Amino acid sequence: LSRFLPTLTLIQELSIHWYVNNNTSDDGCCQMTNAISSLSSLSHLQLHLHGTAYGGGYSITDRTMKSMCTMLRSLIALSHLDLSLERNYNITDVEVIDLMDAIQSLQHLSRLHLNLGACRRVTDVGGQKIGDGVRACTSLIDVVVIV
């Protein structure tokens, strides 16, 4: 993926479903988000990085979250974002705050679907930031948030 995606310079829509498991490394997730960052004409992104947190499963890390936030800030043409991070037990309020700041930087964003369901370490602080962040995105016309 990290070698293939940057060759798609004119791509406008991308959908990736990735289930974090014992074969998934932080390096792999970061390479993928770095590759997506190079797609400057991307307007629609559906990115599902689902953890398998139940029963001692796997989760993306803060390093992957930072890389994803950097990726989002680079996608200046993005108008539709469907981001699902369901069942990633390592995600905390700190990462949610950075994520919402990155989402707020997307000036053309009109549609946001954000799924943080079963992210056990996200508290009311993270929930408040999500609400504040969504309200700050004045260009949004379609919002679905699951926490």
Side-chain angles (χ1 to χ4, degrees):
L1 261 170
S2 63
R3 283 183 242 153
F4 172 70
L5 282 176
T7 65
L8 304 173
T9 55
L10 299 177
I11 192 169
Q12 293 182 342
E13 296 186 23
L14 178 64
S15 179
I16 295 178
H17 293 246
W18 184 309
Y19 289 86
V20 180
N21 59 45
N22 63 333
N23 295 320
T24 306
S25 70
D26 228 10
D27 287 339
C29 289
C30 291
Q31 287 173 9
M32 178 192 54
T33 56
N34 288 338
I36 294 171
S37 294
S38 68
L39 304 175
S40 59
S41 60
L42 198 64
S43 63
H44 293 64
L45 175 61
Q46 181 183 55
L47 180 59
H48 291 194
L49 290 175
H50 286 186
T52 53
Y54 297 125
Y58 299 91
S59 175
I60 60 175
T61 67
D62 60 335
R63 183 170 163 236
T64 296
M65 286 294 290
K66 285 179 183 153
S67 178
M68 185 173 33
C69 291
T70 301
M71 170 201 72
L72 287 173
R73 288 182 178 97
S74 72
L75 298 176
I76 58 173
L78 203 62
S79 63
H80 295 165
L81 175 60
D82 178 353
L83 180 61
S84 182
L85 302 172
E86 186 175 351
R87 294 189 312 251
N88 280 289
Y89 62 87
N90 282 338
I91 296 175
T92 66
D93 290 334
V94 172
E95 283 91 28
V96 168
I97 289 168
D98 193 28
L99 175 65
M100 291 312 298
D101 287 343
I103 289 172
Q104 283 177 251
S105 74
L106 301 170
Q107 296 178 356
H108 301 290
L109 192 65
S110 62
R111 179 168 288 138
L112 172 64
H113 293 185
L114 177 62
N115 182 355
L116 293 170
C119 294
R120 300 180 291 198
R121 296 176 68 194
V122 176
T123 69
D124 290 344
V125 173
Q128 181 66 43
K129 180 58 180 181
I130 292 168
D132 293 345
V134 167
R135 281 188 291 282
C137 294
T138 57
S139 60
L140 286 175
I141 57 173
D142 179 21
V143 179
V144 175
V145 177
I146 300 169
V147 180

